[in-house]
Amino acid sequence: MKLLAPTGWPRVFAVTIVGTLFCIGAALYVDSFNFPHLSPEALQWAILTDIFLPLVLAGTMLFALMFQMRRLAIVQEELQKLACTDSLTTVLNHGAFTMLVEAYLEK
């Protein structure tokens, strides 16, 4: 199993964390043009807002998106397995067997 497989939790967490950090960085960059014009107290509030707003919004949205994509990948793998095997005997059906044999013969 690959580390960042579409059906694994590491991919969900990695994309959520990296995407959230990117959103925080983008918010800080965009707001940094206003930083020189702010008082120290306003600057502190601006930085906190630039960190916590993307943390809450982007973190939640990215986790929900990646969670649904993970579920979709799991269902797609199950559907692929069902499409390639006979439900009664659980052996490869004619189409899957033919594809496997042709791929083996091409080697």
Side-chain angles (χ1 to χ4, degrees):
M1 182 173 165
K2 291 191 267 183
L3 179 63
L4 294 179
T7 58
W9 282 106
R11 182 180 181 139
V12 173
F13 293 129
V15 171
T16 301
I17 291 169
V18 170
T20 302
L21 290 175
F22 177 79
C23 290
I24 291 171
L28 284 168
Y29 174 75
V30 169
D31 208 16
S32 68
F33 297 109
N34 295 325
F35 288 168
H37 310 293
L38 297 175
S39 67
E41 185 178 323
L43 177 64
Q44 183 179 11
W45 280 109
I47 291 174
L48 286 174
T49 302
D50 289 344
I51 292 173
F52 287 112
L53 195 61
L55 184 67
V56 171
L57 295 177
T60 306
M61 290 179 163
L62 285 170
F63 181 78
L65 174 70
M66 292 307 298
F67 179 74
Q68 291 299 326
M69 288 181 68
R70 177 183 174 272
R71 287 181 52 202
L72 182 62
I74 291 170
V75 169
Q76 188 175 13
E77 280 185 3
E78 291 175 7
L79 183 61
Q80 180 71 25
K81 196 180 301 179
L82 287 172
C84 291
T85 58
D86 179 36
S87 60
L88 184 61
T89 61
T90 66
V91 296
L92 292 177
N93 61 18
H94 177 71
F97 181 75
T98 305
M99 250 186 349
L100 184 68
V101 169
E102 287 176 358
Y104 179 74
L105 291 176
E106 287 179 5
K107 286 184 181 181

